[in-house]
Amino acid sequence: MKLKLLILFVIAVASCKSPEARYPVTQSSGSYINESAQRNKDLLTQEEEKIQLIIAQDCTQNYIASSNNFWYYYNQKSTDSTNTVTPDFGDVVVFDYSISTLDGEPIYAEGEKPTREYAIDQEKLFSGLREGLKLMKEGETVTFLFPSYQAFGYYGDKGKIGTNVPLKTKVTLHSIKTKTDNEINN
């Protein structure tokens, strides 16, 4: 009987103790985020150096630096002085494009990707091409050099383009249907 009372007393005393907080075994200081940011900066620097080297070695083209941190040149520029329209938000463009590495090795050759119809800034498209199309006029062909973060970035395209691959993309813009044209036709 005394043993039962002693066990009961121990249980009662133990159950009155307030719960203690469990602390993590390791604590992170945020260094992973800082290291990741530094890796991305280093990657961008390497890609930009490679693009600058390509531009320096190619004296046949007149490269233009965009405000969106990619470079481009015109394969075929519109000479029509009345052709001044560039696509804007909501406009629908029809274009073809091919993708290669910066060294010119084809990833998606001309004609491999179907002609695409795209509503500017309203559908999925990689950021560099989305911004590049806004610089073009009907009938123009432009070659863009995109650092990987302007292309498919860390994820690639889940097909032929891998992780962090800078790209050369040749685009031909066939037509632009402005937002006002679209509203009239609907």
Side-chain angles (χ1 to χ4, degrees):
M1 179 79 154
K2 287 184 181 181
L3 183 59
K4 287 182 182 178
L5 280 173
L6 181 62
I7 292 173
L8 218 78
F9 177 73
V10 170
I11 291 174
V13 169
S15 65
C16 292
K17 185 178 177 187
S18 64
E20 290 184 22
R22 296 185 310 168
Y23 296 99
V25 175
T26 60
Q27 294 181 356
S28 177
S29 63
S31 63
Y32 175 77
I33 292 173
N34 295 336
E35 291 170 7
S36 178
Q38 188 59 48
R39 274 192 309 275
N40 288 335
K41 287 178 185 177
D42 294 343
L43 177 65
L44 178 60
T45 300
Q46 290 171 2
E47 291 175 358
E48 286 180 343
E49 287 172 356
K50 185 170 184 174
I51 290 171
Q52 289 302 323
L53 182 62
I54 290 169
I55 291 171
Q57 292 174 346
D58 186 2
C59 59
T60 62
Q61 301 298 336
N62 181 25
Y63 287 85
I64 302 166
S66 78
S67 60
N68 293 305
N69 201 30
F70 59 82
W71 295 261
Y72 63 100
Y73 64 86
Y74 288 92
N75 300 78
Q76 182 178 340
K77 187 172 178 140
S78 175
T79 56
D80 182 0
S81 60
T82 61
N83 186 9
T84 59
V85 177
T86 57
D88 201 7
F89 179 83
D91 293 347
V92 176
V93 296
V94 177
F95 66 98
D96 286 314
Y97 67 108
S98 62
I99 299 175
S100 62
T101 64
L102 289 180
D103 298 326
E105 295 176 33
I107 298 173
Y108 293 105
E110 287 189 43
E112 190 172 344
K113 289 274 201 188
T115 299
R116 173 104 190 252
E117 190 171 286
Y118 168 72
I120 298 290
D121 292 335
Q122 295 182 337
E123 298 176 45
K124 281 182 88 172
L125 192 64
F126 69 89
S127 65
L129 185 53
R130 185 172 56 237
E131 295 304 318
L133 284 167
K134 294 177 192 176
L135 301 172
M136 298 178 69
K137 298 173 188 157
E138 274 186 5
E140 292 185 331
T141 301
V142 177
T143 298
F144 297 97
L145 303 179
F146 298 118
S148 63
Y149 84 92
Q150 286 280 11
F152 290 91
Y154 178 75
Y155 295 103
D157 73 342
K158 309 274 192 238
K160 294 183 177 183
I161 301 171
T163 299
N164 296 325
V165 177
L167 300 174
K168 181 186 281 190
T169 305
K170 184 177 178 184
V171 181
T172 301
L173 182 59
H174 299 293
S175 66
I176 302 171
K177 294 180 213 165
T178 62
K179 192 175 180 181
T180 53
D181 290 343
N182 292 333
E183 290 168 355
I184 293 170
N185 292 333
N186 288 336

